[in-house]
Amino acid sequence: MGAPGSLACSKLLYPETEESITKGVDDLDLPPRYSEKKNAMESISSGSTEAIHLVNCLVASMITFISLTALISVIIEYAGSLLGYPGWSLELLFGYALFPIAYLIGVTDGMDQALLVGRLLGIKIAVSDFLSFKQLGEILHLLTPRTAMIATYSLCSFSNLISAGAQMAIIGGIAPKTKPIISKLIMSALLGGNITCFISACIAGILIEDPILCQKTYGIQSENCFDINLHQKFMEEIIRQRNITLN
């Protein structure tokens, strides 16, 4: 769902109303700096040199966006402490803002469940999807199986502020002249990526009414759950039978 969903959302957010200049690829010529390469070794050498510049831009951009995100979160936390509300953060504000979204995508098992998923979405957008999945694992015992499933689908993407900065650095490094266009569209791309995740979560919630979570936290022992120990024993038995046959 990720690829077609993101394509559909991008067309809705930024409709292509004009004829594409790259529609006919028969007469599409490469820029001079790419077409003038004589052989493979020269192309490899030039590509390696250009990659160093892109990596430097990517690292610098990620450091900048991570620092800005942390700065904004600290300012919000300090303002909250002055107002008598300690514990405020950028992720928490995103969580409250995304609380209705969590409810709309199918987290209807309780307001507390929707608030927890909203905070996870806030962490994912403001910081990183890796951190949001880590938090999901820590609070999994507080979620119902259906809520955990929907949260898993809704968090599965790189649509966050840090990734947006990384995309600007990479694409801007490859095509510097397009930086003004990218800066105008990057937030729309971020929105489209998150909408795609929400659509995937909605579809999962529609198709799977009663999911089974094979977690020790739930104490579930079901034949539908994948048991890695049984699988390992099965593979060992196959290898043993194969060795007997060969001998």
Side-chain angles (χ1 to χ4, degrees):
M1 181 60 200
S6 59
L7 181 61
C9 289
S10 64
K11 290 298 183 182
L12 290 173
L13 293 172
Y14 195 77
E16 189 175 2
T17 57
E18 301 176 356
E19 186 174 356
S20 175
I21 60 175
T22 59
K23 183 177 180 180
V25 296
D26 296 334
D27 56 348
L28 188 62
D29 296 327
L30 291 174
R33 63 171 181 158
Y34 294 106
S35 59
E36 64 186 9
K37 302 295 185 297
K38 300 298 188 299
N39 51 49
M41 293 303 297
E42 185 178 357
S43 299
I44 293 173
S45 177
S46 300
S48 302
T49 305
E50 294 176 2
I52 294 175
H53 173 68
L54 290 178
V55 170
N56 290 334
C57 292
L58 174 61
V59 172
S61 178
M62 291 188 68
I63 292 174
T64 302
F65 274 83
I66 291 173
S67 302
L68 286 175
T69 303
L71 175 62
I72 295 173
S73 185
V74 169
I75 293 174
I76 294 174
E77 183 177 358
Y78 179 70
S81 62
L82 292 179
L83 297 174
Y85 295 97
W88 277 13
S89 65
L90 182 61
E91 298 90 338
L92 181 62
L93 294 184
F94 266 119
Y96 281 113
L98 295 171
F99 166 78
I101 300 295
Y103 184 81
L104 290 175
I105 63 177
V107 184
T108 56
D109 294 331
M111 293 296 103
D112 57 331
Q113 301 279 303
L115 182 59
L116 288 173
V117 174
R119 294 187 66 173
L120 290 174
L121 293 175
I123 294 173
K124 174 223 172 185
I125 295 175
V127 186
S128 169
D129 55 313
F130 297 107
L131 182 58
S132 64
F133 272 116
K134 180 177 180 295
Q135 294 287 333
L136 175 61
E138 294 176 355
I139 66 170
L140 195 60
H141 63 284
L142 301 176
L143 304 177
T144 63
R146 176 179 171 81
T147 298
M149 178 195 67
I150 293 175
T152 301
Y153 279 96
S154 61
L155 298 177
C156 189
S157 79
F158 293 103
S159 49
N160 53 64
L161 296 176
I162 296 175
S163 295
Q167 287 294 319
M168 287 188 62
I170 294 174
I171 301 176
I174 297 174
K177 293 182 179 180
T178 62
K179 269 191 175 182
I181 301 176
I182 297 171
S183 62
K184 292 179 181 179
L185 299 178
I186 194 66
M187 297 311 294
S188 296
L190 179 63
L191 176 62
N194 282 289
I195 291 176
T196 303
C197 293
F198 300 154
I199 294 175
S200 299
C202 290
I203 294 175
I206 293 172
L207 297 179
I208 307 174
E209 295 183 0
D210 189 18
I212 297 175
L213 291 184
C214 301
Q215 288 283 338
K216 294 181 180 179
T217 306
Y218 291 89
I220 296 174
Q221 298 293 332
S222 173
E223 60 181 8
N224 296 324
C225 296
F226 179 78
D227 192 336
I228 186 64
N229 295 322
L230 291 178
H231 177 72
Q232 185 176 0
K233 292 179 181 178
F234 176 72
M235 294 303 297
E236 290 175 353
E237 180 64 21
I238 291 179
I239 295 173
R240 189 180 67 83
Q241 293 292 339
R242 178 176 175 272
N243 292 334
I244 293 175
T245 304
L246 293 176
N247 293 332

